């Protein structure tokens, strides 16, 4: 690398950081885009759960009835309530709050036989851990996010005619069209790219950059945790618990839920400590995204017998609020469905920008690579194959994951694990397919397969009984399938018109 | 990636950007957290949030400057910054 100008060195950086991390970033962005609708996908993957219009307090009452029958001695009852995005009512007894629990039919209060599934949460977990061990995954994704920031800023630097290119699109012109498409998708939603990448890093900011923790707290995480939470309030609540208790009836949940909703917005779950005793406590947690701030861990505490409020939800100090608002901007839980759709569409544009970027790398070298020596030729061939497997292959794998949810036998042991295995097996097969097939056929066949699987996804609901309402999910799947069918169809037409094409007279705006 | 130019200055630059840039950002964040006249928690958050921007700029700078030596010289600023950020700890070690 020996470059005279700033533009040249930035172009080099943009090309190589973009190529090497572009494949990883595409996987992160595609699964992240799908994770915008994780709960909706999760609902589709559990078709045994019926659509319900029951009020939260009525559902909670059913859950209480079940818990009192099945776990009268438990110290804690946990209830996950159905809400705007999910019809699922879950209960569990004991301290652990996460990890599912038993799904109940909110109409009868009886347990439902729900298939075991990896669920929509798979896309969410893959998005930030790549299904690797958690720490390794978080660091890998963080590194990719840094590469994204570097590629974005260097991309802006090398982009001289920023606003002119914004309105430039030269379709069906080969390399130039790919460049235009890459520029258009990059510039059009540039604020989104910058925001989503930076806020993604901010979620785990103290893991990635522990410098200030090391300097001010000597790296002591427990000490830091206490300082961040503001310890006194917590101790107050713990300290006043009486040692003896007698049987006492639980307060009515309806006014309690109404009060929690008034203070925090819609409620997602309840924990009832010491149920049926005079020292009962009810903890209510809000749905993520009642506000932009990411309110993970926020809750409100009630006396379980009198129903009075013991602790209001904590209010973040301005500095922490800044961090939580940034994290909240990434999680996209606020603003309801219109905001979710905006994030989804912007996420698709990011995927398109990354895909056109890595494809542009090979389109440029398809004619030129002979002049770059053996290493250049080898690199070009690897990139061509990986492009197919990562872009088209991952899309096939994602939709195959959904197909596996309906096609794998319901009684299969470790069924959720098998769904994930199907995802990775299909992805691996797509790589093998990309290696043995000529590149044009590989693209065509894999895009075609992804399109066909997406379009026919609604047919799967005809297999067996599905009680939920999946109209929007199925329409979206069909629309995405049609979107994928378009480049597939273009690939069938392309060879005839491409053959006589000459290199343009004008020098193409060079990105590297 | 011309085959004529030796690979090693490029490699040196990549290491300066990734590792040197991270160390510089680390030291910068520690020094900023130490110097901000705020409550400890506020200083920690305010210093840490822009660290990814600092790291990005450090990486870009390592590739923009004229040669790899300059890149390394810039990253060496990490040393005085680290001295500011960790001076209570260092004073303890030095006795």
């Amino acid at each position: 690398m020996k470059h005279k100008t700033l533009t040249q060195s930035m172009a080099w950086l943009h090309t190589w950081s973009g190529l090497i991390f572009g494949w990883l970033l595409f996987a992160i962005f595609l699964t992240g885009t799908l994770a915008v609708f994780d709960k909706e996908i999760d609902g589709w993957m559990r078709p045994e759960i019926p659509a319900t219009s029951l009020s939260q307090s009525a559902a909670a009452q059913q859950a209480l009835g079940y818990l009192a029958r099945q776990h009268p001695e438990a110290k804690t009852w946990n209830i996950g309530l159905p809400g705007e995005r999910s019809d699922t009512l879950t209960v569990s007894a004991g301290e652990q709050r996460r990890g599912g629990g038993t799904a109940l039919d909110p109409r009868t209060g009886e347990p439902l036989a729900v298939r075991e599934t990896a669920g929509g949460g798979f896309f969410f977990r893959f998005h930030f851990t790549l299904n690797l061990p958690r720490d390794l995954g978080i660091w890998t994704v963080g590194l990719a996010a840094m590469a994204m920031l570097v590629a974005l800023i260097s991309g802006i630097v090398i982009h001289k005619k920023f606003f002119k290119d914004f309105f430039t699109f030269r379709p069906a012109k080969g390399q130039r069209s790919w460049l235009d498409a890459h520029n258009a998708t990059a510039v059009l939603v540039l604020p989104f790219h910058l925001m989503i990448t930076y806020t993604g890093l901010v979620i785990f900011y103290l893991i990635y950059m522990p410098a200030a923790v090391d300097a001010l707290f000597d790296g002591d995480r427990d000490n830091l945790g206490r300082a961040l939470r503001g310890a006194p309030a917590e101790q107050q609540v713990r300290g006043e618990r009486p040692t003896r208790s007698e049987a006492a009836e639980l307060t009515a949940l309806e006014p309690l839920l109404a009060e929690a909703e008034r203070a925090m917005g819609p409620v997602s779950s309840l924990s009832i400590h010491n149920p049926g005793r005079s020292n009962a406590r009810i903890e209510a947690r809000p749905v993520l995204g009642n506000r932009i701030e990411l309110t993970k861990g926020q809750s409100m505490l009630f006396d379980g017998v009198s129903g009075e409020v013991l602790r209001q939800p904590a209010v973040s100090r301005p500095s922490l609020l800044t961090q939580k608002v940034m994290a909240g901007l990434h999680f996209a839980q606020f603003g309801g469905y219109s905001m979710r759709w905006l994030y989804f569409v912007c996420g698709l544009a990011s995927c398109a920008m990354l895909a056109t970027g890595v494809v542009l790398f090979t389109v440029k070298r398809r004619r030129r690579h002979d002049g770059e020596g053996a290493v250049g030729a080898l690199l070009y061939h690897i990139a061509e194959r990986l492009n197919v497997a990562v872009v088209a292959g991952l899309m096939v794998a994602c939709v195959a994951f959904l197909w596996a949810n309906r096609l794998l036998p319901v009684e299969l042991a470790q069924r959720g694990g098998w769904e994930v295995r199907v995802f990775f097996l299909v992805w691996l097969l797509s790589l093998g397919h990309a290696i043995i097939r000529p590149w044009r056929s590989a693209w065509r066949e894999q895009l075609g397969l992804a399109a066909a699987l997406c379009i026919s996804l609604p047919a799967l609901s005809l297999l067996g009984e599905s009680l939920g309402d999946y109209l929007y999910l199925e329409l979206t799947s069909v629309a995405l399938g049609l979107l994928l069918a378009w480049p597939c169809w273009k690939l069938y037409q392309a060879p005839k018109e491409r053959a006589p094409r000459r290199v343009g007279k004008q020098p193409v705006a060079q990105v590297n | 990636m011309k085959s004529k130019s030796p690979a090693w200055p490029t490699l040196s630059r990549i290491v300066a950007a990734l590792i040197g840039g991270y160390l510089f950002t680390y030291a910068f964040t520690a020094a900023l957290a130490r110097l901000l006249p705020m409550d400890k928690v506020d200083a920690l958050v305010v210093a840490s949030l822009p660290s990814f921007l600092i790291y990005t700029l450090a990486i870009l700078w390592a590739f923009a400057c004229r040669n790899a030596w300059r890149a390394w010289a810039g990253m060496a600023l990490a040393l005085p910054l680290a001295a500011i950020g960790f001076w209570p700890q260092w004073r303890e070690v030095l006795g």
Side-chain angles (χ1 to χ4, degrees), chain B:
Chain B
M1 284 297 270
K2 276 166 204 149
S3 46
K4 275 175 214 159
S5 68
W8 135 247
T10 304
L11 195 68
S12 169
R13 234 183 243 267
I14 292 172
V15 174
L18 276 179
I19 311 285
Y22 186 83
L23 292 177
F24 172 81
T25 312
Y26 184 90
F28 181 90
T29 307
L32 185 61
R34 175 73 61 200
L35 293 177
L36 282 171
M38 296 177 183
D39 181 81
K40 259 165 87 167
V41 172
D42 292 330
L44 172 123
V45 176
V46 173
S48 299
L49 284 181
S51 58
F52 306 108
L53 179 65
I54 306 292
Y55 191 19
T56 307
L57 294 178
I59 292 173
L60 291 177
W61 188 81
F63 283 94
C65 64
R66 223 175 300 150
N67 57 49
W69 290 113
R70 275 172 181 263
W72 280 108
M75 299 312 169
L77 281 176
L79 282 174
L81 286 172
I84 297 171
F86 290 94
W87 72 264
Q89 284 95 333
W90 284 12
R91 218 170 41 172
E92 237 169 71
V93 172
L94 296 173

Side-chain angles (χ1 to χ4, degrees), chain A residues 4 73 171 194 233 317 337 349-350 404-405 417 454-455 476 483 508:
Chain A
K4 294 278 164 5
E73 296 304 317
L194 287 170
R317 55 203 299 165
Y337 272 113
S350 297
N405 172 264
C454 278
I455 291 171
T476 310
L483 201 65
V508 175

Side-chain angles (χ1 to χ4, degrees), chain A residues 187-481:
Chain A
V187 175
L188 200 61
V189 285
L190 183 65
F192 176 78
H193 299 314
L194 287 170
M195 179 279 286
I196 208 75
T197 312
Y198 207 91
T199 55
L201 285 162
V202 161
I203 293 168
F204 294 120
Y205 71 133
L206 293 182
I207 295 180
Y208 294 139
M209 185 43 70
V213 184
D214 295 346
L216 299 185
F217 289 84
D218 289 320
D220 184 348
R221 295 262 161 189
D222 297 336
N223 198 354
L224 170 71
R226 276 193 294 277
L228 286 179
R229 276 195 305 272
E234 193 105 339
Q235 278 162 355
Q236 202 186 353
V237 170
R238 291 250 166 86
E240 52 125 34
R241 183 172 294 175
T243 42
R244 287 176 51 81
S245 65
E246 53 266 21
E249 196 151 334
L250 210 60
T251 181
L253 285 180
E254 193 163 353
L256 190 144
L257 276 168
E259 171 62 19
E261 190 159 336
R262 194 193 58 74
M264 303 189 294
V267 176
S268 71
S269 67
L270 295 173
S271 286
I272 300 154
H273 307 284
N274 308 315
R277 314 297 301 174
S278 60
N279 59 349
R281 296 280 177 276
I282 301 179
E283 198 177 356
R285 287 178 216 88
V287 170
L288 280 184
N290 291 333
R291 42 202 299 172
I292 299 179
E293 178 189 6
L294 187 66
T295 49
K296 245 179 193 164
Q298 202 184 57
S299 69
M300 193 169 169
L301 197 70
F302 295 88
D303 187 306
V305 178
S306 68
E308 68 184 281
V309 179
L310 295 179
R311 194 189 66 215
Q312 290 286 349
V315 177
S316 303
R317 55 203 299 165
S319 60
L320 272 177
L321 182 63
T322 310
Q323 191 266 337
K324 286 182 174 177
V325 165
M326 290 174 91
L329 280 173
H330 190 93
F331 269 74
Q333 303 290 320
F334 63 97
Y337 272 113
S338 43
M339 192 59 82
R340 251 166 228 288
W341 279 108
L342 183 63
Y343 270 78
F344 186 73
V345 171
C346 286
L348 287 181
S350 297
C351 294
M353 187 263 288
L354 289 160
T356 50
V358 291
V359 167
L360 183 59
F361 179 89
T362 51
V363 169
K364 269 187 177 174
R365 280 155 187 80
R366 215 164 266 158
R367 294 186 309 263
R368 264 194 1 211
H369 68 273
D370 305 329
E372 294 196 355
V375 179
L378 180 69
L379 188 82
Y380 157 76
H381 282 294
I382 292 173
E384 190 87 89
R385 299 308 186 248
L386 276 176
N387 279 351
V388 180
V390 170
V391 177
L394 179 62
M395 294 192 284
V396 175
C398 284
V399 61
F401 172 76
L402 295 182
W403 275 72
N405 172 264
R406 291 296 160 89
L407 293 185
L408 288 175
V410 174
E411 60 278 4
L412 186 69
Q414 309 277 307
R415 201 169 172 281
W418 279 105
E419 290 173 358
V420 174
R421 249 165 261 168
V422 166
F423 173 86
F424 283 107
L425 266 177
V426 169
W427 203 4
L428 196 65
L429 283 176
S430 83
L431 178 64
H433 177 261
I435 290 172
I436 53 173
R437 297 287 288 158
W439 64 266
R440 192 183 291 276
S441 316
W443 272 114
R444 199 164 49 204
E445 286 155 13
Q446 294 198 17
L447 283 174
L449 180 60
L453 289 176
C454 278
I455 291 171
S456 52
L457 192 81
L460 286 174
S461 288
L462 303 176
L463 298 171
E465 201 182 11
S466 34
L467 301 166
D469 177 14
Y470 313 122
L471 179 67
Y472 288 108
L473 187 139
E474 288 173 346
L475 279 179
T476 310
S477 173
V478 171
L480 288 178

Side-chain angles (χ1 to χ4, degrees), chain A residues 27-51:
Chain A
I28 295 168
F29 269 85
L30 184 67
T31 49
T33 305
L34 292 173
V36 169
F37 289 117
D38 57 346
K39 285 235 175 83
E40 289 73 15
I41 295 173
D42 200 74
W44 184 87
M45 295 178 86
R46 298 172 209 269
E48 294 86 355
I49 292 173

